mmCIF file of all heavy atoms in Angstrom:
data_model
loop_
_atom_site.group_PDB
_atom_site.id
_atom_site.type_symbol
_atom_site.label_atom_id
_atom_site.label_comp_id
_atom_site.label_asym_id
_atom_site.label_seq_id
_atom_site.Cartn_x
_atom_site.Cartn_y
_atom_site.Cartn_z
ATOM 1 N N SER A 3 1.625 -1.596 -25.640
ATOM 2 C CA SER A 3 2.120 -2.415 -24.493
ATOM 3 C C SER A 3 3.134 -3.295 -24.954
ATOM 4 O O SER A 3 3.223 -3.799 -26.136
ATOM 5 C CB SER A 3 0.942 -3.234 -23.963
ATOM 6 O OG SER A 3 0.491 -4.119 -24.924
ATOM 7 N N ILE A 4 4.066 -3.652 -24.138
ATOM 8 C CA ILE A 4 5.187 -4.445 -24.410
ATOM 9 C C ILE A 4 4.949 -5.786 -23.869
ATOM 10 O O ILE A 4 4.681 -6.091 -22.609
ATOM 11 C CB ILE A 4 6.517 -3.891 -23.720
ATOM 12 C CG1 ILE A 4 6.756 -2.477 -24.135
ATOM 13 C CG2 ILE A 4 7.728 -4.729 -24.121
ATOM 14 C CD1 ILE A 4 6.914 -2.258 -25.614
ATOM 15 N N ALA A 5 4.973 -6.784 -24.824
ATOM 16 C CA ALA A 5 4.725 -8.245 -24.428
ATOM 17 C C ALA A 5 5.982 -8.861 -24.205
ATOM 18 O O ALA A 5 6.925 -8.929 -24.904
ATOM 19 C CB ALA A 5 3.939 -8.887 -25.526
ATOM 20 N N VAL A 6 6.178 -9.416 -22.975
ATOM 21 C CA VAL A 6 7.352 -10.074 -22.503
ATOM 22 C C VAL A 6 7.084 -11.464 -21.999
ATOM 23 O O VAL A 6 5.992 -11.628 -21.369
ATOM 24 C CB VAL A 6 8.076 -9.284 -21.369
ATOM 25 C CG1 VAL A 6 9.414 -9.983 -20.998
ATOM 26 C CG2 VAL A 6 8.320 -7.821 -21.730
ATOM 27 N N SER A 7 7.868 -12.391 -22.361
ATOM 28 C CA SER A 7 7.555 -13.850 -22.028
ATOM 29 C C SER A 7 7.538 -13.989 -20.501
ATOM 30 O O SER A 7 8.431 -13.296 -19.815
ATOM 31 C CB SER A 7 8.522 -14.776 -22.642
ATOM 32 O OG SER A 7 9.872 -14.437 -22.213
ATOM 33 N N SER A 8 6.715 -14.808 -19.947
ATOM 34 C CA SER A 8 6.602 -14.966 -18.559
ATOM 35 C C SER A 8 7.891 -15.774 -18.006
ATOM 36 O O SER A 8 8.451 -16.498 -18.795
ATOM 37 C CB SER A 8 5.371 -15.762 -18.153
ATOM 38 O OG SER A 8 5.464 -17.049 -18.776
ATOM 39 N N LEU A 9 8.129 -15.635 -16.705
ATOM 40 C CA LEU A 9 9.342 -16.260 -16.087
ATOM 41 C C LEU A 9 8.738 -17.442 -15.330
ATOM 42 O O LEU A 9 7.849 -17.294 -14.553
ATOM 43 C CB LEU A 9 10.057 -15.303 -15.213
ATOM 44 C CG LEU A 9 10.526 -14.021 -15.916
ATOM 45 C CD1 LEU A 9 11.227 -13.133 -14.939
ATOM 46 C CD2 LEU A 9 11.492 -14.365 -17.051
ATOM 47 N N SER A 10 9.349 -18.549 -15.485
ATOM 48 C CA SER A 10 8.876 -19.800 -14.749
ATOM 49 C C SER A 10 10.064 -20.503 -14.197
ATOM 50 O O SER A 10 11.263 -20.413 -14.713
ATOM 51 C CB SER A 10 8.080 -20.643 -15.635
ATOM 52 O OG SER A 10 8.839 -21.056 -16.773
ATOM 53 N N ARG A 19 16.377 -18.328 -16.070
ATOM 54 C CA ARG A 19 15.206 -17.689 -16.556
ATOM 55 C C ARG A 19 15.193 -17.793 -18.089
ATOM 56 O O ARG A 19 16.145 -17.702 -18.682
ATOM 57 C CB ARG A 19 15.232 -16.269 -16.028
ATOM 58 C CG ARG A 19 15.046 -16.110 -14.498
ATOM 59 C CD ARG A 19 14.919 -14.665 -14.147
ATOM 60 N NE ARG A 19 14.606 -14.508 -12.757
ATOM 61 C CZ ARG A 19 14.412 -13.313 -12.158
ATOM 62 N NH1 ARG A 19 14.603 -12.259 -12.894
ATOM 63 N NH2 ARG A 19 14.084 -13.273 -10.887
ATOM 64 N N THR A 20 14.073 -17.970 -18.596
ATOM 65 C CA THR A 20 13.834 -17.840 -20.019
ATOM 66 C C THR A 20 14.088 -16.325 -20.483
ATOM 67 O O THR A 20 13.647 -15.466 -19.850
ATOM 68 C CB THR A 20 12.414 -18.319 -20.463
ATOM 69 O OG1 THR A 20 11.448 -17.406 -19.748
ATOM 70 C CG2 THR A 20 12.195 -19.790 -20.079
ATOM 71 N N ALA A 21 14.661 -16.274 -21.656
ATOM 72 C CA ALA A 21 14.973 -14.950 -22.194
ATOM 73 C C ALA A 21 13.703 -14.237 -22.644
ATOM 74 O O ALA A 21 12.840 -14.922 -23.222
ATOM 75 C CB ALA A 21 15.983 -15.051 -23.385
ATOM 76 N N PRO A 22 13.429 -12.986 -22.352
ATOM 77 C CA PRO A 22 12.334 -12.220 -22.753
ATOM 78 C C PRO A 22 12.296 -12.152 -24.345
ATOM 79 O O PRO A 22 13.281 -12.130 -25.074
ATOM 80 C CB PRO A 22 12.515 -10.824 -22.284
ATOM 81 C CG PRO A 22 13.955 -10.754 -22.141
ATOM 82 C CD PRO A 22 14.516 -12.035 -21.693
ATOM 83 N N SER A 23 10.994 -12.327 -24.792
ATOM 84 C CA SER A 23 10.819 -12.286 -26.288
ATOM 85 C C SER A 23 11.001 -10.847 -26.720
ATOM 86 O O SER A 23 10.944 -9.933 -25.964
ATOM 87 C CB SER A 23 9.457 -12.762 -26.608
ATOM 88 O OG SER A 23 8.528 -11.954 -26.011
ATOM 89 N N ALA A 24 11.161 -10.640 -28.088
ATOM 90 C CA ALA A 24 11.358 -9.383 -28.633
ATOM 91 C C ALA A 24 10.111 -8.528 -28.393
ATOM 92 O O ALA A 24 8.982 -9.030 -28.329
ATOM 93 C CB ALA A 24 11.613 -9.461 -30.163
ATOM 94 N N ALA A 25 10.261 -7.264 -28.213
ATOM 95 C CA ALA A 25 9.120 -6.349 -27.994
ATOM 96 C C ALA A 25 8.190 -6.397 -29.206
ATOM 97 O O ALA A 25 8.630 -6.510 -30.363
ATOM 98 C CB ALA A 25 9.663 -4.927 -27.814
ATOM 99 N N SER A 26 6.873 -6.384 -29.024
ATOM 100 C CA SER A 26 5.861 -6.412 -30.003
ATOM 101 C C SER A 26 4.892 -5.360 -29.762
ATOM 102 O O SER A 26 4.675 -4.951 -28.681
ATOM 103 C CB SER A 26 5.281 -7.926 -30.105
ATOM 104 O OG SER A 26 4.699 -8.150 -28.922
ATOM 105 N N VAL A 27 4.173 -4.843 -30.821
ATOM 106 C CA VAL A 27 3.291 -3.850 -30.712
ATOM 107 C C VAL A 27 1.832 -4.420 -30.604
ATOM 108 O O VAL A 27 1.568 -5.445 -31.357
ATOM 109 C CB VAL A 27 3.388 -2.912 -31.925
ATOM 110 C CG1 VAL A 27 3.118 -3.579 -33.186
ATOM 111 C CG2 VAL A 27 2.422 -1.749 -31.691
ATOM 112 N N ARG A 28 1.099 -3.974 -29.777
ATOM 113 C CA ARG A 28 -0.276 -4.365 -29.601
ATOM 114 C C ARG A 28 -1.201 -3.139 -29.680
ATOM 115 O O ARG A 28 -1.563 -2.677 -28.582
ATOM 116 C CB ARG A 28 -0.506 -5.180 -28.380
ATOM 117 C CG ARG A 28 0.001 -6.531 -28.402
ATOM 118 C CD ARG A 28 -0.256 -7.272 -27.152
ATOM 119 N NE ARG A 28 0.280 -8.644 -27.143
ATOM 120 C CZ ARG A 28 0.229 -9.439 -26.055
ATOM 121 N NH1 ARG A 28 -0.503 -9.046 -24.922
ATOM 122 N NH2 ARG A 28 0.765 -10.634 -26.134
ATOM 123 N N PRO A 142 12.751 0.388 -28.459
ATOM 124 C CA PRO A 142 12.369 -0.260 -29.661
ATOM 125 C C PRO A 142 11.712 0.705 -30.667
ATOM 126 O O PRO A 142 11.147 1.755 -30.198
ATOM 127 C CB PRO A 142 11.326 -1.348 -29.185
ATOM 128 C CG PRO A 142 10.806 -0.754 -27.992
ATOM 129 C CD PRO A 142 11.955 -0.024 -27.324
ATOM 130 N N ALA A 146 7.548 -1.664 -33.363
ATOM 131 C CA ALA A 146 7.942 -2.797 -32.651
ATOM 132 C C ALA A 146 7.656 -2.739 -31.144
ATOM 133 O O ALA A 146 8.318 -3.380 -30.349
ATOM 134 C CB ALA A 146 9.297 -3.203 -32.966
ATOM 135 N N GLY A 147 6.734 -1.815 -30.723
ATOM 136 C CA GLY A 147 6.448 -1.636 -29.369
ATOM 137 C C GLY A 147 6.914 -0.370 -28.723
ATOM 138 O O GLY A 147 6.807 -0.115 -27.553
#
Side-chain angles (χ1 to χ4, degrees):
S3 61
I4 305 301
V6 182
S7 61
S8 60
L9 303 177
S10 60
R19 292 182 174 183
T20 57
S23 61
S26 61
V27 62
R28 290 182 179 177

